[in-house]
Coordinates of all heavy atoms in Angstrom, one line a residue:
G17 N 0.7 -1.2 -0.1 CA 0.0 0.0 -0.1 C 0.9 1.2 0.0 O 0.3 2.4 0.0
I18 N 2.0 1.2 0.0 CA 2.9 2.3 0.0 C 3.2 2.7 -1.4 O 3.4 1.9 -2.3 CB 4.3 2.1 0.7 CG1 4.1 1.7 2.3 CG2 5.3 3.1 0.5 CD1 5.4 1.3 3.0
E19 N 3.1 4.1 -1.6 CA 3.4 4.6 -3.0 C 4.9 4.7 -3.2 O 5.6 5.1 -2.4 CB 2.7 6.1 -3.2 CG 2.9 6.6 -4.6 CD 2.3 7.9 -4.7 OE1 2.0 8.7 -3.6 OE2 1.9 8.3 -5.7
K20 N 5.3 4.2 -4.4 CA 6.7 4.3 -4.9 C 6.8 5.3 -5.9 O 6.2 5.2 -7.0 CB 7.1 2.9 -5.4 CG 8.5 2.8 -5.8 CD 8.8 1.5 -6.5 CE 10.1 1.3 -7.1 NZ 10.5 0.0 -7.5
V21 N 7.6 6.4 -5.7 CA 7.7 7.5 -6.6 C 9.1 7.4 -7.3 O 10.2 7.4 -6.4 CB 7.5 8.9 -5.9 CG1 7.6 10.1 -6.9 CG2 6.1 9.0 -5.4
I22 N 9.2 7.6 -8.6 CA 10.6 7.6 -9.2 C 10.6 9.0 -9.9 O 9.7 9.1 -10.9 CB 10.9 6.3 -10.1 CG1 10.9 5.2 -9.2 CG2 12.1 6.6 -10.9 CD1 11.0 3.9 -10.0
Q23 N 11.4 9.9 -9.8 CA 11.6 10.9 -10.6 C 12.6 10.7 -11.6 O 13.7 10.1 -11.4 CB 12.3 12.2 -9.7 CG 11.2 12.5 -8.6 CD 11.8 13.7 -7.7 OE1 13.0 14.1 -7.9 NE2 11.0 14.3 -6.9
Q24 N 12.4 11.2 -12.9 CA 13.3 10.8 -14.1 C 13.5 12.2 -14.8 O 12.7 13.1 -14.8 CB 12.7 9.9 -15.1 CG 12.3 8.6 -14.4 CD 11.5 7.6 -15.1 OE1 12.1 7.2 -16.2 NE2 10.2 7.5 -14.8
S25 N 14.7 12.3 -15.5 CA 14.9 13.5 -16.1 C 16.0 13.3 -17.2 O 16.8 12.3 -17.1 CB 15.5 14.6 -15.2 OG 16.7 14.2 -14.7
F26 N 16.0 14.1 -18.2 CA 17.0 14.2 -19.2 C 17.8 15.5 -18.9 O 17.2 16.5 -18.7 CB 16.5 14.2 -20.6 CG 16.1 13.0 -21.2 CD1 14.6 12.7 -21.4 CD2 16.9 11.9 -21.4 CE1 14.3 11.5 -21.9 CE2 16.6 10.7 -21.8 CZ 15.2 10.5 -22.0
D27 N 19.2 15.4 -18.8 CA 19.9 16.6 -18.5 C 21.1 16.8 -19.4 O 21.7 15.9 -20.0 CB 20.7 16.4 -17.0 CG 19.5 16.1 -16.0 OD1 18.6 16.9 -16.0 OD2 19.6 15.2 -15.2
L28 N 21.4 18.0 -19.5 CA 22.7 18.4 -20.3 C 23.7 19.2 -19.4 O 23.3 20.0 -18.6 CB 22.4 19.4 -21.3 CG 23.4 20.0 -22.3 CD1 24.1 18.9 -22.9 CD2 23.0 21.1 -23.1
S29 N 24.9 18.6 -19.3 CA 25.9 19.0 -18.4 C 27.3 19.4 -19.0 O 28.1 18.5 -19.3 CB 26.3 17.9 -17.4 OG 25.1 17.7 -16.7
P30 N 27.5 20.7 -19.4 CA 28.7 21.1 -19.9 C 29.7 20.9 -18.9 O 29.5 21.4 -17.7 CB 28.5 22.5 -20.3 CG 27.1 22.8 -20.4 CD 26.4 21.8 -19.4
T31 N 30.9 20.3 -19.0 CA 32.0 20.2 -18.1 C 33.3 20.5 -18.6 O 33.5 20.5 -19.9 CB 32.0 18.7 -17.8 OG1 32.4 17.9 -18.9 CG2 30.6 18.1 -17.1
V32 N 34.3 20.9 -17.7 CA 35.7 21.2 -18.1 C 36.4 20.4 -17.0 O 35.9 20.2 -15.8 CB 36.0 22.6 -18.1 CG1 35.2 23.4 -19.2 CG2 35.7 23.3 -16.7
G33 N 37.7 19.9 -17.4 CA 38.4 19.2 -16.5 C 39.8 18.9 -17.0 O 40.3 19.4 -18.0
F34 N 40.6 18.3 -16.1 CA 42.0 18.0 -16.5 C 42.5 16.8 -15.6 O 41.9 16.3 -14.8 CB 43.0 19.2 -16.2 CG 43.3 19.2 -14.7 CD1 44.5 18.7 -14.1 CD2 42.5 20.0 -13.8 CE1 44.7 18.8 -12.9 CE2 42.7 20.1 -12.5 CZ 44.0 19.4 -12.1
Y35 N 43.5 16.1 -16.0 CA 44.1 15.1 -15.3 C 45.7 15.1 -15.7 O 46.1 15.8 -16.7 CB 43.7 13.7 -15.7 CG 43.9 13.3 -17.1 CD1 45.1 12.6 -17.4 CD2 43.0 13.4 -18.2 CE1 45.5 12.4 -18.8 CE2 43.3 13.1 -19.6 CZ 44.5 12.6 -19.8 OH 45.0 12.2 -21.1
Y36 N 46.4 14.6 -14.6 CA 47.9 14.7 -14.7 C 48.4 13.3 -14.7 O 48.2 12.6 -13.7 CB 48.3 15.5 -13.7 CG 49.9 15.6 -13.5 CD1 50.8 16.2 -14.5 CD2 50.6 15.0 -12.5 CE1 52.0 16.2 -14.4 CE2 52.0 14.9 -12.3 CZ 52.6 15.5 -13.3 OH 54.0 15.5 -13.2
H37 N 49.2 12.7 -15.7 CA 49.9 11.6 -15.7 C 51.2 11.8 -15.7 O 51.9 12.3 -16.9 CB 49.4 10.8 -17.0 CG 49.9 9.4 -17.1 ND1 49.3 8.4 -17.9 CD2 50.9 8.8 -16.5 CE1 49.9 7.3 -17.8 NE2 51.0 7.6 -16.9
K38 N 51.9 11.8 -14.7 CA 53.4 12.0 -14.5 C 54.2 11.5 -15.5 O 54.2 10.4 -15.9 CB 53.8 11.6 -13.1 CG 55.2 12.1 -12.7 CD 55.6 11.6 -11.4 CE 57.1 12.1 -11.1 NZ 57.5 11.7 -9.7
D39 N 55.2 12.3 -16.0 CA 56.2 12.1 -17.2 C 55.5 11.5 -18.4 O 56.3 10.9 -19.2 CB 57.2 11.1 -16.5 CG 58.0 11.6 -15.3 OD1 58.3 12.8 -15.5 OD2 58.3 10.9 -14.5
Y40 N 54.2 11.7 -18.5 CA 53.6 11.1 -19.7 C 52.7 12.2 -20.4 O 53.1 12.7 -21.6 CB 52.7 9.9 -19.5 CG 52.0 9.3 -20.7 CD1 52.8 8.8 -21.7 CD2 50.7 9.3 -20.8 CE1 52.1 8.4 -22.9 CE2 49.9 8.8 -22.0 CZ 50.7 8.4 -23.0 OH 50.1 8.0 -24.1
Q41 N 51.7 12.6 -19.7 CA 51.0 13.8 -20.4 C 50.0 14.5 -19.3 O 49.7 13.9 -18.3 CB 50.2 13.3 -21.6 CG 49.1 12.4 -21.2 CD 48.2 11.9 -22.4 OE1 48.6 12.1 -23.6 NE2 47.2 11.2 -22.2
T42 N 49.6 15.6 -19.7 CA 48.6 16.2 -18.9 C 47.4 16.6 -20.0 O 47.7 17.0 -21.1 CB 49.0 17.6 -18.3 OG1 50.1 17.5 -17.5 CG2 47.9 18.4 -17.6
G43 N 46.2 16.2 -19.5 CA 45.1 16.4 -20.4 C 44.1 17.4 -20.1 O 43.8 17.4 -18.8
L44 N 43.8 18.3 -20.8 CA 42.7 19.4 -20.6 C 41.5 19.1 -21.4 O 41.7 18.8 -22.6 CB 43.1 20.7 -20.9 CG 44.3 21.3 -19.9 CD1 44.8 22.6 -20.4 CD2 44.0 21.3 -18.5

């Protein structure tokens, strides 16, 4: 008898980032 609610969405997420791989490369 308990109501189960599920919220759903479509989202757009612009992102920026970087990683550092020592002595190999840095990626932006």
Side-chain angles (χ1 to χ4, degrees):
I18 297 174
E19 183 180 24
K20 179 181 176 182
V21 177
I22 297 175
Q23 295 177 358
Q24 301 172 72
S25 65
F26 285 113
D27 301 313
L28 177 64
S29 303
T31 64
V32 294
F34 79 93
Y35 65 87
Y36 173 68
H37 186 159
K38 185 179 178 183
D39 296 326
Y40 179 61
Q41 69 181 5
T42 298
L44 300 173

